[in-house]
Amino acid sequence: GSHLADRLVLRGDEVVVVDSFVTGRRSNIRHLEDSPGFQLVKHDIVDGLPAMGAFDVVANLASPASPDGFASLSIEILDAGSSGNRNLLNYAVDCGARFLLASTSEVYGDALVHPQREDYCGNVDPAGPRGCYDEAKRFAEAMTAAYSRRKGVDARVARIFNTYGERMRSDDGRVLTNFVTQALDGRPITLYGDGSRTRSFCYVADEVAGLLAVLDGHIVGPVNVGSPEEVTIREVAELVRKLTGSTSSIVEVPLPAEREGDPQRRRPDITRIEDGLGWRPTTSLDAGLARMIESMRSSD
């Protein structure tokens, strides 16, 4: 969200950020607080929205998203995807604003189709440890589609695949931050299982460019926004060790119960956004990860 705010301010938009800071950090946007046309409102969208004036765009990027939060913040996640998203949709209706929902590749669950296309309906366990996040985003998509059909909301939906980059919390429990923190500390890099699961990581600057392409574009309905560069988690661990210059060992540990249901493979089919909106990520994993590592080193 802070990176999207950067880009919007840079292009001359007036931006109001609403954040409860349950998982976000004010330091991520502090550099924007004195910018003309920028305003911060500390508030939880689940509690409704204060009067803030009229907007051309309402964008919902609000939800805890780390696997570590699926147990400790499960109800908050479900609230954000249901009542929180509806509050934002109502605000968009009142303003006549375009609405952007930041959805997720998690709507595909442990996919039985590879790569994942937008017309794949997914393989999700609603009662599993990841169900709170998966189903919150699926419900948010359904609510957004209903508002589009019944209330005429001009809606856009971006399904974000694994995003990484500067400003991530080192303790947020995601695989890249875990690996980088362990490598920089000289601790063993831990793989859940044998490391054969795959992910497709998109550098944050590319991801934001993709979100803006969806927001400003003509495509109605879900659009995958992610990198088609698929890597195994073991390959990622080895790359982190190389880029950090670490001597950390790579060790396999059993998959903990809270990680049950982790998708085996993940890679987006980006034909829709590439052909329709001309977007494709340009930052390699090596280059983006090097920037992230330097940022995490500097913050220590």
Side-chain angles (χ1 to χ4, degrees):
S2 67
H3 292 272
L4 179 59
D6 282 346
R7 291 287 294 273
L8 293 171
V9 169
L10 183 63
R11 76 181 194 178
D13 292 329
E14 296 180 25
V15 177
V16 176
V17 166
V18 179
D19 202 323
S20 66
F21 297 109
V22 170
T23 58
R25 294 183 297 184
R26 186 161 183 164
S27 59
N28 287 350
I29 54 169
R30 189 161 285 129
H31 63 285
L32 290 174
E33 291 193 49
D34 293 329
S35 299
F38 179 85
Q39 182 183 352
L40 170 65
V41 176
K42 186 177 184 300
H43 188 77
D44 192 330
I45 60 168
V46 172
D47 298 328
L49 290 167
M52 297 178 292
F55 295 89
D56 298 310
V57 170
V58 174
N60 183 9
L61 284 79
S63 177
S66 167
D68 281 3
F70 294 168
S72 60
L73 294 170
S74 54
I75 295 172
E76 290 84 349
I77 290 168
L78 287 161
D79 282 343
S82 54
S83 57
N85 189 61
R86 187 171 187 181
N87 288 335
L88 290 172
L89 281 162
N90 284 331
Y91 208 104
V93 170
D94 292 341
C95 294
R98 177 168 288 189
F99 183 80
L100 172 67
L101 172 65
S103 187
T104 173
S105 60
E106 296 289 345
V107 300
Y108 299 122
D110 189 6
L112 304 177
V113 171
H114 192 79
Q116 292 80 57
R117 292 179 13 152
E118 291 90 348
D119 57 3
Y120 174 56
C121 293
N123 176 39
V124 172
D125 176 8
R130 308 174 71 89
C132 60
Y133 187 66
D134 300 358
E135 296 294 4
K137 290 295 189 179
R138 288 164 68 93
F139 182 84
E141 286 199 18
M143 180 65 77
T144 301
Y147 265 69
S148 180
R149 295 186 188 105
R150 289 191 55 187
K151 296 180 179 289
V153 173
D154 184 18
R156 302 290 183 270
V157 176
R159 288 179 177 165
I160 297 173
F161 283 65
N162 298 75
T163 306
Y164 71 98
E166 299 87 343
R167 303 178 192 163
M168 296 180 75
R169 295 198 336 264
S170 60
D171 62 348
D172 80 348
R174 301 183 198 189
V175 63
L176 286 182
T177 48
N178 283 351
F179 285 179
V180 172
T181 300
Q182 290 167 343
L184 292 178
D185 291 346
R187 294 182 283 123
I189 298 173
T190 53
L191 294 180
Y192 294 138
D194 62 3
S196 63
R197 285 182 169 82
T198 71
R199 294 293 184 269
S200 300
F201 297 98
C202 188
Y203 182 59
V204 65
D206 287 335
E207 188 68 39
V208 168
L211 291 178
L212 288 173
V214 173
L215 172 62
D216 297 334
H218 64 281
I219 299 178
V220 176
V223 180
N224 289 337
V225 185
S227 170
E229 180 185 0
E230 182 181 7
V231 292
T232 69
I233 300 303
R234 180 174 290 278
E235 288 171 334
V236 173
E238 292 169 349
L239 180 59
V240 166
R241 187 166 61 175
K242 172 187 170 184
L243 292 174
T244 57
S246 174
T247 58
S248 294
S249 58
I250 297 176
V251 298
E252 297 178 11
V253 298
L255 189 72
E258 62 269 20
R259 300 276 177 158
E260 183 182 338
D262 266 14
Q264 293 292 323
R265 302 183 69 189
R266 180 173 290 152
R267 174 163 61 93
D269 182 320
I270 63 168
T271 303
R272 178 173 291 178
I273 189 170
E274 189 170 21
D275 290 354
L277 301 175
W279 176 87
R280 184 180 181 88
T282 59
T283 308
S284 70
L285 182 58
D286 292 52
L289 196 47
R291 295 171 197 166
M292 176 180 167
I293 289 167
E294 184 56 34
S295 173
M296 291 180 68
R297 265 203 181 105
S298 302
S299 65
D300 290 340

